[in-house]
Amino acid sequence: KGPNNPVPPLRRRLLLLEDDPQDGVHWTVQGLGPGNATQSSGTALTLDDQGRYLVGLYKCADDCDPEAEIRVYEPGGALSDVIPLQAGVYAPQDLAWNPAGYVVMASAISDQPWTSRFLVQAFTPGKLAPVWVYEKPAPMGLYLAWALTTSQGRVITAGVGDGGFPIISYLYP
């Protein structure tokens, strides 16, 4: 809001809602920042082995050139860690906690207009570098990792390839 714009822009903000049967409902609405980020929106959620919330999201300024990241929230809504994702990575489409002690993310990465690559990465909270990365080799086109599940020693991902064809990957990291 200002003298030249009396109506503030509509903005999206990350919302985390906890429903604890003993403590009641806790609402956490992400505020402004850091930097020039005025908007954020959650795209994926999972819990780790300590009961923390791992949230995949994008953040951006009002013009919304999105930057993807994973945030770790303690029960009660306190932010404890931010894992920024590299430039060109789309917001996480799915997250899953792996018994090996890391979160696995399904998404895509693009470094050229109208192309993307199927991307699966694993991160340990508190560390910026991925534990491992899988990019499906494919010809130029649009590819997106959409969903995943994990177990000890295995990650299964599903997504869509160029032309709408399904993709399933079995990974053994």
Side-chain angles (χ1 to χ4, degrees):
K1 191 170 184 176
N4 296 331
N5 184 8
V7 179
L10 295 176
R11 294 178 172 151
R12 294 178 184 259
R13 296 272 169 76
L14 177 66
L15 166 68
L16 182 62
L17 175 66
E18 298 174 86
D19 187 6
D20 185 330
Q22 296 169 353
D23 250 358
V25 176
H26 299 277
W27 293 77
T28 302
V29 179
Q30 185 64 51
L32 296 176
N36 66 351
T38 57
Q39 300 189 74
S40 57
S41 187
T43 56
L45 172 72
T46 194
L47 297 174
D48 71 5
D49 58 352
Q50 298 173 36
R52 298 179 297 183
Y53 305 96
L54 291 97
V55 181
L57 63 115
Y58 70 85
K59 66 177 185 172
C60 59
D62 284 342
D63 61 356
C64 209
D65 184 15
E67 298 173 16
E69 62 187 31
I70 298 170
R71 293 184 184 169
V72 182
Y73 289 90
E74 299 294 329
L79 179 64
S80 65
D81 192 18
V82 175
I83 303 168
L85 302 176
Q86 72 191 65
V89 173
Y90 297 171
Q93 299 298 300
D94 198 7
L95 295 173
W97 184 255
N98 188 282
Y102 51 76
V103 62
V104 182
M105 175 200 75
S107 188
I109 185 169
S110 178
D111 51 13
Q112 297 181 31
W114 297 103
T115 64
S116 62
R117 297 183 306 278
F118 192 92
L119 177 68
V120 182
Q121 291 180 302
F123 294 92
T124 302
K127 298 185 179 176
L128 296 177
V131 175
W132 55 263
V133 176
Y134 172 75
E135 289 184 42
K136 180 168 180 47
M140 295 288 278
L142 295 170
Y143 299 86
L144 175 65
W146 209 302
L148 60 91
T149 187
T150 69
S151 63
Q152 189 68 38
R154 181 173 67 179
V155 175
I156 303 170
T157 63
V160 63
D162 204 39
F165 292 100
I167 296 173
I168 296 178
S169 296
Y170 293 84
L171 308 174
Y172 301 91

